[in-house]
Amino acid sequence: TPERVDDPPQPAGSSEEPWLESEAGNCWVEYFEGNSTLVLASPHDGCLEPRWAGRRASDTVTVRDKGASGIACAAAISLAASGAAAERGGVPAFKVPHVLLCHVSRSVLDVNRSSADGASCPRGRAVWEVYHALLDRALATASQTSGGCGRACFVDFHAQAHFNLNGGHDLIEVGYLLPLRVVSRAAELLDSTSEAAAAL
């Protein structure tokens, strides 16, 4: 259940905008800077409903991806620990992923939509802006540590809501931005490759 929370106190004599940025950065969004090319994010596991925030339109998706933030953090810790173990063995491999978490409930803010569609009010849009500024910073930093290739790997953690629809299997799903015709063709290619391999 989303938790209603009060605004942090506004510093005396400050303007609205700097306070919003501070509020968004310190309370509603959390960023842990890493030193690797990997960026992990959890945009939909937030459970906080700030009192300033109105609910998003009733026809939008507002389901919480419960547990996604914990999985993202556990993955980061596991990767960092395995890197530390390798480094102790003489391999310089200690790398920590960047981690970005949104703690605001998806019912009032969806950072994976445009700011117009994802935020319910001006303060929500300010939090949206801070989230994306931190994501840009993480990706820029990660790409600078990639040994000159200028690339980063971004993994957005979500939960699935169709456990009962897939036969009760606890599955990890990989999302992609490919049209169905490409995915279908890839399935045909995999099938033909499997048949060719079986014939050997």
Side-chain angles (χ1 to χ4, degrees), residues 109-131:
L109 176 67
D110 189 340
V111 293
N112 274 15
R113 300 287 179 264
S114 68
S115 63
D117 293 335
S120 58
C121 64
R123 286 187 178 176
R125 284 187 283 282
V127 177
W128 187 97
E129 293 288 345
V130 168
Y131 181 91

Side-chain angles (χ1 to χ4, degrees), residues 41-140:
S42 173
H44 296 149
D45 193 13
C47 60
L48 301 179
E49 286 191 2
R51 295 199 182 279
W52 46 257
R55 288 186 169 270
R56 293 171 59 227
S58 59
D59 60 342
T60 58
V61 177
T62 60
V63 177
R64 178 183 174 196
D65 289 347
K66 192 172 183 181
S69 292
I71 294 170
C73 290
I77 291 168
S78 178
L79 289 166
S82 63
E87 193 168 67
R88 282 195 297 274
V91 180
F94 184 63
K95 296 291 184 182
V96 180
H98 302 259
V99 179
L100 180 60
L101 312 172
C102 181
H103 296 303
V104 179
S105 171
R106 195 177 183 187
S107 64
V108 297
L109 176 67
D110 189 340
V111 293
N112 274 15
R113 300 287 179 264
S114 68
S115 63
D117 293 335
S120 58
C121 64
R123 286 187 178 176
R125 284 187 283 282
V127 177
W128 187 97
E129 293 288 345
V130 168
Y131 181 91
H132 283 274
L134 289 171
L135 179 57
D136 289 345
R137 174 177 151 192
L139 292 170

Side-chain angles (χ1 to χ4, degrees), residues 81-200:
S82 63
E87 193 168 67
R88 282 195 297 274
V91 180
F94 184 63
K95 296 291 184 182
V96 180
H98 302 259
V99 179
L100 180 60
L101 312 172
C102 181
H103 296 303
V104 179
S105 171
R106 195 177 183 187
S107 64
V108 297
L109 176 67
D110 189 340
V111 293
N112 274 15
R113 300 287 179 264
S114 68
S115 63
D117 293 335
S120 58
C121 64
R123 286 187 178 176
R125 284 187 283 282
V127 177
W128 187 97
E129 293 288 345
V130 168
Y131 181 91
H132 283 274
L134 289 171
L135 179 57
D136 289 345
R137 174 177 151 192
L139 292 170
T141 304
S143 65
Q144 290 170 2
T145 60
S146 61
C149 73
R151 295 177 183 253
C153 179
F154 175 54
V155 180
D156 216 21
F157 282 79
H158 296 269
Q160 54 172 293
H162 52 270
F163 182 78
N164 293 330
L165 301 178
N166 67 14
H169 299 291
D170 192 11
L171 302 175
I172 293 174
E173 298 180 352
V174 178
Y176 42 80
L177 297 174
L178 298 174
L180 183 59
R181 61 182 169 72
V182 174
V183 176
S184 299
R185 181 71 185 107
E188 292 170 16
L189 180 61
L190 287 172
D191 287 343
S192 63
T193 305
S194 298
E195 289 169 9
L200 294 176

